[in-house]
Amino acid sequence: MHWLLVVLIVFVFQAGTILVLEYRRPANAMAWLFILFLFPIVGFILYYFLAHEYRRRRRVRRRGGIDEQRRAEIMSKSHLIGEPGDMPSPEFEHQERLFKLLRKAGAAPITGCNSSRVLTNGEATYEAMLHAIRSAKHHIHFSTYILRDDETGRLFRSELVRKAQEGVQVRLLYDGIGSIKLKRSYFGPLKEAGGEFACFFPLRPAFMKKRMNYRNHRKILVVDGTKGFVGGINVGDEYLGKHPRLGFWRDTHLELEGDAVYGLQEVFLKDWQTATGQNPKDPGFLPLHHCKGKEAVQIVAGGPNRRDDAIHETLFAALSVAKERIWITTPYFIPDASILMALKIAAMSGVDVRLIVPFVPDSYLVMHATLSYVDEMMSYGVRFWQYKRGFIHAKVVIVDNLMASVGTANMDLRSFFSNFETNALLFHEDRIADLERDFLQDLKDSQELELTAFRSRPRKEKAKQALARMLSPLL
């Protein structure tokens, strides 16, 4: 009886600790309590190391915080859009609240001196990125979540090595979990050529310092401070359709020229400082831009080192003002309560809400969690398609002809609240039209889910989805 009392006291203490620390995030609390119930001691140890609230650590915020001098230089050199009437879409004249939120929540300004190009799939993206790297004269800043030591990874390495040998500053940043299979020997040629590389939160130190749950999911390339890339594509053969199970890989990336590149540069330099403690400064990082286009673009960076949740806030605000359509492509759909409600209310109000998600998943647990929302949302009028040509990894949101988002963030809790992510918000009708064409093509390569048929799925599948839904805050 004494042992049972001790066990009960320990369990109550562990459960109480989780409830107290997670009172702001009820979904997280329920998920961790479920794990604690299954694995009483192990579950609490995992919680201690994986669920530490990163953003409360002042030292980390200072280390990766805003460089005020650099920010002032960016603001002085950028062509800023200061009024809703200056936006390319006339719809913004009636969206003053949204405009004000975007200016505040995104941290980076909305700039009006940009040109952009939508890159569809790995072939077009790699061709454009390699062309930019080969033309570099001053510096190459490259950040990726996944970096493979395969044919594609070695091709990128050889080009970076060659530019480093020519005297170009090369900095390569990769994530400790996303690139966990990568060996240090991969970087030998780059180091010998004078290039620099860094790992963002390596596995073992990250675990001991309780950072392992917070990953740098960004994919950023900045060349000479004038050309930038951001989107869903990492570096590896699978993005060229060479994955043996997933096959064809459907993705979306973005090429930018103009003042929006300042935003990408700032994000990279902050991440480099977080990973290395170094804050490199060079006038060539922020060159004056010759205005080649008139597109309005905003870079929105989100991460656990910020006090706000900029990506979540900007997307929620955009969804809330939709009048005609909300079209979303995402490989992982695990919304929080606010995003879920915004989509349901929009559909009930007559907005055309469509989501494209994978049919062939790269994670079955995430797929089951995604499908757990289908019945509920379809009953409100939301329509779901499953992509069947291969695996769809694009992260795109289109709201009316008002704006579109392309970037690294999925429509899930991890991207909203845990990962370091970067999205580009596009406001020009031509770029929105490009994304619309891709979306309509993806619909042709997808199969729409039908509510009656979906409700008749086996009980075993329903149980899997219910379990995945419960664990979804931790995925």
Side-chain angles (χ1 to χ4, degrees):
M1 292 297 294
H2 292 294
W3 282 106
L4 288 176
L5 181 60
V6 170
V7 170
L8 178 61
I9 292 173
V10 170
F11 182 83
V12 170
F13 169 78
Q14 294 174 347
T17 300
I18 292 174
L19 287 172
V20 169
L21 295 179
E22 296 293 334
Y23 77 97
R24 294 178 183 271
R25 303 180 294 180
N28 283 42
M30 291 301 297
W32 279 112
L33 287 175
F34 179 70
I35 292 176
L36 180 65
F37 178 78
L38 295 179
F39 311 103
I41 301 298
V42 175
F44 189 73
I45 294 173
L46 289 174
Y47 174 79
Y48 177 79
F49 282 103
L50 297 181
H52 185 73
E53 186 60 80
Y54 185 102
R55 72 184 62 199
R56 293 177 186 167
R57 304 179 67 176
R58 296 179 182 177
R59 183 178 62 84
V60 176
R61 288 205 300 267
R62 288 198 301 267
R63 188 173 182 182
I66 294 175
D67 184 318
E68 297 295 345
Q69 182 179 357
R70 185 167 60 223
R71 170 55 63 87
E73 185 177 357
I74 289 174
M75 298 296 282
S76 67
K77 291 182 176 180
S78 297
H79 298 76
L80 305 179
I81 293 182
E83 299 294 335
D86 297 331
M87 295 291 281
S89 172
E91 296 183 39
F92 264 97
E93 294 181 7
H94 309 289
Q95 296 293 348
E96 187 172 349
R97 287 181 61 194
L98 174 62
F99 180 81
K100 288 181 178 179
L101 183 139
L102 292 177
R103 289 186 63 196
K104 291 182 179 179
I110 303 174
T111 60
C113 185
N114 301 282
S115 61
S116 65
R117 180 162 66 112
V118 175
L119 300 169
T120 305
N121 299 328
E123 293 86 349
T125 300
Y126 288 160
E127 180 182 358
M129 291 172 68
L130 289 168
H131 181 268
I133 289 172
R134 289 164 183 154
S135 65
K137 302 298 182 184
H138 184 267
H139 68 270
I140 299 169
H141 289 164
F142 195 4
S143 175
T144 185
Y145 177 65
I146 295 174
L147 180 59
R148 305 284 192 204
D149 187 4
D150 55 18
E151 183 178 354
T152 300
R154 290 188 287 272
L155 173 60
F156 272 87
R157 181 185 62 184
S158 67
E159 295 299 333
L160 294 175
V161 167
R162 186 171 65 84
K163 300 309 294 187
Q165 291 171 339
E166 294 175 3
V168 174
Q169 297 181 46
V170 176
R171 293 180 177 86
L172 176 59
L173 183 64
Y174 65 99
D175 185 76
I177 296 296
S179 304
I180 193 170
K181 296 181 180 179
L182 196 65
K183 297 180 180 178
R184 296 280 291 185
S185 59
Y186 172 89
F187 300 99
L190 181 61
K191 184 177 181 180
E192 292 176 6
E196 298 181 66
F197 63 92
C199 180
F200 195 94
F201 292 177
L203 177 59
R204 189 177 300 173
F207 183 78
M208 297 308 297
K209 295 179 180 180
K210 294 173 283 188
R211 299 177 181 174
M212 197 170 73
N213 194 43
Y214 304 102
R215 310 315 318 169
N216 191 329
H217 195 242
R218 293 174 176 141
K219 300 94 177 168
I220 293 174
L221 172 63
V222 176
V223 176
D224 292 343
T226 59
K227 182 169 290 191
F229 296 82
V230 65
I233 297 178
N234 294 287
V235 178
D237 287 348
E238 65 261 43
Y239 299 90
L240 296 174
K242 298 180 181 180
H243 192 285
R245 182 176 68 84
L246 299 177
F248 177 76
W249 191 286
R250 168 72 183 92
D251 220 320
T252 299
H253 222 73
L254 195 67
E255 180 181 16
L256 292 168
E257 290 185 86
D259 293 343
V261 180
Y262 291 144
L264 295 179
Q265 184 79 286
E266 184 180 25
V267 171
F268 177 89
L269 291 173
K270 286 196 293 185
D271 288 349
W272 185 264
Q273 184 179 7
T274 298
T276 67
Q278 304 168 5
N279 185 17
K281 296 179 182 291
D282 190 307
F285 292 164
L286 302 173
L288 281 172
H289 293 148
H290 300 289
C291 196
K292 296 182 179 179
K294 299 295 184 180
E295 296 181 37
V297 178
Q298 183 179 24
I299 301 300
V300 181
N305 60 337
R306 296 173 55 97
R307 287 184 174 86
D308 59 3
D309 300 303
I311 290 177
H312 176 262
E313 291 165 1
T314 53
L315 289 177
F316 172 76
L319 299 179
S320 299
V321 302
K323 296 179 181 179
E324 297 178 1
R325 67 175 175 182
I326 298 172
W327 291 359
I328 298 173
T329 305
T330 181
Y332 315 126
F333 181 73
I334 304 175
D336 75 321
S338 61
I339 296 292
L340 183 64
M341 184 60 68
L343 292 173
K344 292 195 296 187
I345 289 177
M348 287 180 64
S349 304
V351 176
D352 178 17
V353 182
R354 307 184 187 191
L355 283 93
I356 300 177
V357 297
F359 176 77
V360 178
D362 65 339
S363 168
Y364 284 97
L365 184 58
V366 173
M367 178 194 71
H368 288 307
T370 294
L371 293 177
S372 72
Y373 293 92
V374 170
D375 189 335
E376 174 185 359
M377 296 185 69
M378 288 181 68
S379 65
Y380 280 83
V382 178
R383 301 171 69 184
F384 277 84
W385 277 260
Q386 287 186 302
Y387 188 79
K388 305 199 75 172
R389 185 181 173 188
F391 177 63
I392 193 159
H393 190 251
K395 303 117 176 14
V396 176
V397 179
I398 303 172
V399 177
D400 297 341
N401 287 317
L402 189 70
M403 60 174 282
S405 171
V406 177
T408 70
N410 300 302
M411 293 292 289
D412 67 0
L413 301 173
R414 172 162 291 281
S415 285
F416 292 151
F417 306 119
S418 297
N419 284 345
F420 295 80
E421 306 275 8
T422 305
N423 283 2
L425 301 184
L426 308 175
F427 305 98
H428 196 279
E429 60 181 2
D430 290 345
R431 295 296 79 72
I432 296 174
D434 291 340
L435 295 169
E436 176 184 328
R437 282 193 294 271
D438 281 352
F439 189 91
L440 292 174
Q441 179 59 52
D442 292 337
L443 286 182
K444 294 179 182 178
D445 295 327
S446 305
Q447 180 176 340
E448 186 174 6
L449 293 175
E450 200 276 325
L451 182 56
T452 302
F454 185 78
R455 284 177 172 170
S456 65
R457 66 197 185 282
R459 291 182 179 179
K460 183 179 180 180
E461 293 300 309
K462 294 179 180 180
K464 290 179 181 178
Q465 292 161 16
L467 177 61
R469 174 83 167 257
M470 186 176 296
L471 296 174
S472 63
L474 310 181
L475 299 181

